[in-house]
Amino acid sequence: MPYAGTVDKTMGAETVGHLKHLLETELKRAREENDLNIAMFLGVDGRIFSSSIPNRLDPRQYRLLNLLKGNLAHICNQLGGQNMMISVQQFEAGTIIISGVGDRAFLVFLTTKPVEITKMQGVLANIVKTSIVVRHLFESKPITPEVLATYDEAVAGELKRLTRILFVEKFGETKEFKKNKEIAQFLQSRLGALVGPGPLQEIVPMAYNEVGTTAPYMTAGHWDRFVTIIVEKLRDLRGETVAVKAEKEWRAYLKQVLSSFV
């Protein structure tokens, strides 16, 4: 029987780098899913907080981007303190869609593809959703079940997806991952020195299987159970004295490492 249930493989923005990554990810998703060319998140003072711009732009896309840059000061003046909802501007070069993010920031999406205003309801609804998601991220609000319940299904679903994406792409940078890697290496080396490589290769996978997860996702409770299991196996192979000494050392090490990473 596994010691614990399914591991929650989601992660909120714990650092400025994670927040930046989430914002860039959301802009890229919105740009690609709505078949738009460029996405930018700006402050009403003209600062660019984040953007999603392809590595290559064709001449029409450059023209539209330069058009936006030329009008940026005017747009910022219009938006200052106004809390704009959404605006669609069409030019010969293409279409510019502006969506407010609170009263001090906004999103801009550019596309050079032909757009019929009357057929944009789906795209505009998605952009409004993106604006709400970006505002949530930018204000560094937590992404918890309680907070998600305050949003509609589309916004809550997108925020939840972002936490899963962040977990997959950035979990290896977290303290939890580094702590667990250190513990796993320590216990494996200590156990291997006492039982030899053959028994080690049998005991460790069996212990993780009984705990119900793998080293990167272990909690303090998982490690406690893991040590209990491998000590039992060590007792069978090397006797009570060796097992007692090893358990004392390993639990002291666990306590020290787990507290140092808090």
Side-chain angles (χ1 to χ4, degrees), residues 80-98:
Q82 298 301 312
N83 201 8
M84 171 183 273
M85 299 301 289
I86 198 158
S87 167
V88 180
Q89 301 175 7
Q90 290 196 302
F91 304 90
E92 184 180 351
T95 300
I96 298 176
I97 305 167
I98 301 171

Side-chain angles (χ1 to χ4, degrees), residues 179-196 200 203-204 207-208 211 215 218-220 222-231 234 245-255 257-258:
K179 168 196 69 181
N180 285 338
K181 182 179 179 181
E182 183 177 319
I183 293 172
Q185 290 174 342
F186 172 86
L187 292 176
Q188 184 155 325
S189 67
R190 289 297 195 273
L191 180 61
L194 293 172
V195 301
L200 178 71
I203 293 170
V204 171
Y208 282 125
V211 168
M218 299 277 270
T219 63
H222 288 131
W223 284 122
D224 181 70
R225 174 64 177 152
F226 185 87
V227 168
T228 298
I229 294 167
I230 63 174
V231 167
L234 178 61
K245 182 181 178 182
E247 182 171 23
K248 184 178 179 181
E249 178 196 0
W250 297 347
R251 291 201 184 279
Y253 172 84
L254 266 184
K255 184 178 179 181
V257 172
L258 291 170

Side-chain angles (χ1 to χ4, degrees), residues 14-258:
E14 299 175 354
T15 66
V16 172
H18 288 167
L19 174 61
K20 184 173 184 291
H21 185 71
L22 280 181
L23 288 170
E24 290 174 351
T25 299
E26 178 60 14
L27 289 184
K28 184 172 185 286
R29 281 170 60 80
R31 175 175 67 80
E32 292 178 348
E33 290 178 3
N34 294 290
D35 200 22
L36 302 168
N37 299 133
I38 295 170
M40 302 173 73
F41 175 40
L42 305 97
V44 294
D45 57 1
R47 283 183 297 165
I48 299 175
F49 297 128
S50 188
S51 63
S52 178
I53 302 174
N55 293 329
R56 285 187 172 184
L57 294 177
D58 64 33
R60 291 191 65 206
Q61 291 165 353
Y62 267 119
R63 199 177 314 131
L64 188 59
L65 182 58
N66 287 331
L67 178 64
L68 171 68
K69 290 178 179 178
N71 290 333
L72 197 54
H74 177 65
I75 293 170
C76 289
N77 286 335
Q78 281 186 315
L79 292 177
Q82 298 301 312
N83 201 8
M84 171 183 273
M85 299 301 289
I86 198 158
S87 167
V88 180
Q89 301 175 7
Q90 290 196 302
F91 304 90
E92 184 180 351
T95 300
I96 298 176
I97 305 167
I98 301 171
S99 180
V101 179
D103 59 0
R104 305 301 300 168
F106 61 100
L107 295 174
V108 178
F109 294 92
L110 309 180
T111 180
T112 58
K113 297 174 182 177
V115 172
E116 290 186 45
I117 297 292
T118 57
K119 296 181 180 179
M120 287 187 66
Q121 293 92 334
V123 171
L124 295 180
N126 288 338
I127 286 174
V128 170
K129 175 193 72 177
T130 299
S131 298
I132 298 169
V133 169
V134 168
R135 182 173 183 177
H136 181 103
L137 297 174
F138 193 60
E139 293 177 352
S140 298
K141 293 180 180 177
I143 303 176
T144 63
E146 294 76 20
V147 172
L148 292 177
T150 65
Y151 291 117
D152 66 32
E153 187 177 342
V155 172
E158 183 66 9
L159 285 167
K160 189 73 172 176
R161 271 189 292 275
L162 287 174
T163 65
R164 288 195 290 267
I165 290 170
L166 185 64
F167 181 91
V168 170
E169 297 179 357
K170 296 293 183 178
F171 181 67
E173 300 174 5
T174 64
K175 289 182 179 179
E176 283 297 313
F177 178 86
K178 294 172 183 176
K179 168 196 69 181
N180 285 338
K181 182 179 179 181
E182 183 177 319
I183 293 172
Q185 290 174 342
F186 172 86
L187 292 176
Q188 184 155 325
S189 67
R190 289 297 195 273
L191 180 61
L194 293 172
V195 301
L200 178 71
Q201 290 174 10
E202 294 179 6
I203 293 170
V204 171
M206 176 276 300
Y208 282 125
N209 186 55
E210 286 197 26
V211 168
T213 186
T214 55
Y217 314 120
M218 299 277 270
T219 63
H222 288 131
W223 284 122
D224 181 70
R225 174 64 177 152
F226 185 87
V227 168
T228 298
I229 294 167
I230 63 174
V231 167
E232 288 175 1
K233 296 298 180 183
L234 178 61
R235 182 175 287 109
D236 293 340
L237 292 170
R238 294 294 309 276
E240 181 70 19
T241 302
V242 172
V244 168
K245 182 181 178 182
E247 182 171 23
K248 184 178 179 181
E249 178 196 0
W250 297 347
R251 291 201 184 279
Y253 172 84
L254 266 184
K255 184 178 179 181
Q256 183 264 322
V257 172
L258 291 170

Side-chain angles (χ1 to χ4, degrees), residues 3-15:
Y3 178 68
T6 304
V7 176
D8 179 23
K9 295 185 179 180
T10 64
M11 191 169 81
E14 299 175 354
T15 66

